[in-house]
Amino acid sequence: MAGGGFVDENGGKRVHLYEYRITGYFIFACVVAAMGGSLFGYDLGVSGGVTSMDDFLKEFFPKVYRRKHAHLEETDYCKYDNQILTLFTSSLYFAALVSTFGASHVTRNKGRRASILCGAVSFFLGAILNAFAKNIAMLIVGRCLLGVGIGFGNQAVPLYLSEMAPAKVRGAVNQLFQLTTCLGILIANFINYATDKIHPWGWRLSLGLATVPAAIMFVGGLFLPETPNSLVEQGRLQEAREILEKVRGTTKVDAEFSDLKDASDAARAIKNPFRNLLQRKNRPQLVIAALGIPAFQQLTGMNSILFYAPVIFQSLGFGSGASLYSSAITSGALVLATFISMAFVDKFGRRAFFLEAGVEMICVLVAVAVTLALKFGEGEELPKGIGIFLVVIICIFVLAYGRSWGPLGWLVPSELFPLETRSAGQSMVVCVNMIFTALIAQCFLVSLCHLKYGIFLVFAGLIFIMSCFIFFLLPETKQVPIEEIYLLWQNHWFWKRYCTPEENEHELDGKSIPPI
């Protein structure tokens, strides 16, 4: 599959002049910014565990509690089928998708750092409200504040990391966001495992401890530098040059700084970046980055497993403690997978990880469906050996997702947008991601109830479709400077019809772009 290489707009003589070394200042900035992922991850991990705790259910969802304990002697798919209960989870994501458009304005005009700070404050307030909730209304309002925090954080952090990182290590650096997300999930599962034994307020501690990553992110954010790209975009050129020299560890940044200024000049000509996204020349970014990848990331079914891992394992016959422990194992697999992806994604590329993991995930989902079809349902307890087998293959699924659609679902979109539409494009990414996250969260348990094992076959079919999408439409972006990504489309077998040099307002001076 032809993709596209990259050259400099002045004939390919500028990109190779980029210089950098990894400095302590650069590491500090990226690690602190990546803490935004821990907010998302902690919530993903904690919400599913809390919704399976008896004390939480007795206080807010007594009908679900009675149904759960009326079926202690059997396992079925429908114990937790309650739309208000799932609204507790999905309300956060509906709030996040709305807030991301406000985040776009802040990110573009006030900078990436400002959005990170706003996200930390909102998430902190939501955690406090949830911890002291006395009724469902307080829970939902708290979840909405958490959602605003995630909307701002998820909008700004991937952009921040991609803009700070040198091209050759951008994949690994950007995946710090996924790593902290996974660590947040893992820590939340262990906290749930511990607080499940604290009666009757353990669930309050689980929800309240979300204030910790929010506070760390806010305090660290006060010391964060703004990205050079954003400073140039705001016209603060001298400050941008100083920050670029500090994060690159060298004063020899003339070539990269010139490219940033050129990109900024193009960006300033764009008065309405959201409308600009709809132009023909931006069709690849719209279809792949703003719509396709963020939607497909949720349609893998992975977030359903993360939301409801304790609930799923209880429904499959595991006890409350064993289900939380099993979900912690799967979270650990997610962290391991992220390290694998960070180590190799800049060597083997994005497409290889997407496609190889897609085949693996399809096989696992089919195996889960077949196992459940043969061995589970109608009040029949799963044999211990079958239960262990399901945990193992779910871990294999998590390992595949965790080195492909998980981290790359944030990395690749953050790479593809030009500066003039980058904040608007990332808002679209977060919005579409949160729409599908919320829909999956709201619909998964009722789908599990009605489709039973068939839900896993549905996800397998969707992964086949999205793997074809990647194979045919996504060029390889590894080690391509972020302000040179636009050149990939001009030599792609499909997108070149939309992205001729004239339409992109970039001339290649007769230079050909070698295919990948």
Side-chain angles (χ1 to χ4, degrees):
M1 179 63 57
F6 66 92
V7 296
D8 178 74
E9 65 184 79
N10 294 321
K13 297 180 179 179
R14 185 181 284 172
V15 171
H16 74 282
L17 297 176
Y18 288 12
E19 294 188 19
Y20 76 94
R21 61 185 180 88
I22 303 300
T23 64
Y25 186 76
F26 168 75
I27 293 172
F28 165 79
C30 291
V31 169
V32 171
M35 285 299 295
S38 67
L39 308 186
F40 192 29
Y42 187 87
D43 183 79
L44 280 173
V46 82
S47 57
V50 165
T51 55
S52 71
M53 293 181 183
D54 286 349
D55 292 324
F56 177 81
L57 293 175
K58 281 190 288 186
E59 184 158 353
F60 296 103
F61 303 97
K63 289 183 179 179
V64 176
Y65 173 78
R66 289 193 295 270
R67 184 192 305 161
K68 172 184 174 182
H69 285 269
H71 293 270
L72 282 178
E73 300 304 318
E74 65 181 57
T75 57
D76 59 57
Y77 292 94
C78 300
K79 287 180 182 178
Y80 294 89
D81 180 17
N82 181 288
Q83 289 300 293
I84 302 300
L85 177 62
T86 52
L87 182 62
F88 165 74
T89 297
S90 61
S91 57
L92 178 148
Y93 303 101
F94 287 119
L97 72 89
V98 173
S99 68
T100 189
F101 293 103
S104 172
H105 176 80
V106 174
T107 301
R108 179 178 172 91
N109 295 288
K110 303 298 182 182
R112 285 55 166 154
R113 175 176 171 269
S115 281
I116 290 172
L117 291 172
C118 289
V121 171
S122 182
F123 198 88
F124 185 92
L125 296 175
I128 292 293
L129 193 58
N130 270 183
F132 292 96
K134 297 296 183 183
N135 51 54
I136 292 177
M138 287 183 70
L139 279 178
I140 299 301
V141 172
R143 295 289 291 173
C144 289
L145 285 172
L146 293 172
V148 171
I150 286 177
F152 272 81
N154 287 15
Q155 205 275 346
V157 172
L159 289 187
Y160 187 96
L161 295 174
S162 285
E163 290 182 346
M164 279 293 199
K168 291 186 177 180
V169 295
R170 188 175 61 244
V173 170
N174 185 276
Q175 289 189 49
L176 287 170
F177 177 76
Q178 177 72 5
L179 177 62
T180 57
T181 300
C182 297
L183 288 172
I185 295 168
L186 179 62
I187 292 169
N189 274 294
F190 281 116
I191 288 174
N192 283 341
Y193 185 71
T195 58
D196 190 41
K197 299 175 173 61
I198 302 174
H199 303 288
W201 51 271
W203 63 270
R204 294 186 184 275
L205 183 58
S206 284
L207 295 177
L209 284 174
T211 56
V212 175
I216 294 173
M217 181 175 163
F218 179 80
V219 173
L222 294 175
F223 301 95
L224 275 182
E226 187 53 81
T227 70
N229 309 61
S230 179
L231 291 171
V232 170
E233 192 175 19
Q234 297 173 52
R236 298 154 62 183
L237 298 182
Q238 182 59 37
E239 188 178 351
R241 170 97 189 198
E242 292 172 359
I243 294 296
L244 185 61
E245 290 178 357
K246 290 180 73 173
V247 296
R248 294 293 181 261
T250 177
T251 58
K252 299 177 181 179
V253 295
D254 291 339
E256 186 170 2
F257 190 64
S258 294
D259 281 347
L260 291 182
K261 289 193 293 184
D262 290 346
S264 178
D265 291 340
R268 270 194 284 269
I270 304 300
K271 302 302 181 184
N272 192 324
F274 284 100
R275 185 181 301 167
N276 184 261
L277 264 179
L278 301 178
Q279 292 184 5
R280 179 181 173 87
K281 67 177 183 178
N282 291 322
R283 198 64 48 80
Q285 295 94 320
L286 177 67
V287 173
I288 296 177
L291 300 176
I293 288 178
F296 285 144
Q297 186 191 47
Q298 302 311 312
L299 295 176
T300 59
M302 181 63 214
N303 272 5
S304 298
I305 292 174
L306 294 179
F307 289 149
Y308 300 116
V311 172
I312 290 171
F313 286 124
Q314 279 195 27
S315 294
L316 297 181
F318 292 76
S320 177
S323 67
L324 288 170
Y325 189 65
S326 299
S327 62
I329 292 174
T330 60
S331 301
L334 196 57
V335 173
L336 175 61
T338 305
F339 279 115
I340 294 172
S341 187
M342 290 176 68
F344 297 108
V345 72
D346 287 311
K347 178 179 181 181
F348 296 114
R350 286 58 161 155
R351 282 167 50 85
F353 273 66
F354 271 129
L355 298 174
E356 179 274 329
V359 173
E360 203 170 317
M361 292 161 72
I362 291 170
C363 294
V364 167
L365 288 173
V366 171
V368 170
V370 171
T371 301
L372 296 182
L374 296 176
K375 296 292 184 180
F376 176 68
E378 306 300 329
E380 178 185 346
E381 284 281 352
L382 279 175
K384 183 177 180 180
I386 297 297
I388 293 173
F389 170 74
L390 284 174
V391 172
V392 170
I393 62 173
I394 285 176
C395 283
I396 294 173
F397 178 89
V398 171
L399 283 169
Y401 171 89
R403 64 179 185 272
S404 60
W405 283 96
L408 301 186
W410 295 106
L411 165 62
V412 174
S414 73
E415 296 177 318
L416 296 185
F417 296 106
L419 184 61
E420 62 263 27
T421 60
R422 193 167 295 153
S423 60
Q426 187 67 16
S427 287
M428 287 291 294
V429 171
V430 176
C431 181
V432 172
N433 187 287
M434 292 304 158
I435 288 173
F436 281 85
T437 302
L439 291 175
I440 292 294
Q442 192 68 24
C443 298
F444 178 74
L445 289 180
V446 67
S447 300
L448 181 66
C449 178
H450 292 285
L451 296 177
K452 299 180 171 59
Y453 60 85
I455 187 64
F456 297 100
L457 294 177
V458 170
F459 284 130
L462 289 170
I463 292 173
F464 174 78
I465 293 172
M466 62 185 74
S467 296
C468 292
F469 176 88
I470 293 297
F471 181 80
F472 289 110
L473 297 181
L474 179 69
E476 183 53 68
T477 59
K478 69 174 181 179
Q479 300 186 7
V480 182
I482 193 168
E483 304 301 349
E484 305 291 340
I485 294 288
Y486 72 91
L487 294 165
L488 295 177
W489 312 117
Q490 296 173 13
N491 202 50
H492 188 273
W493 73 275
F494 180 78
W495 297 120
K496 63 183 179 182
R497 70 190 70 182
Y498 297 96
C499 304
T500 63
E502 292 77 15
E503 288 173 327
N504 265 340
E505 300 177 0
H506 288 292
E507 294 296 336
L508 299 182
D509 297 330
K511 301 288 184 179
S512 62
I513 309 173
I516 288 178

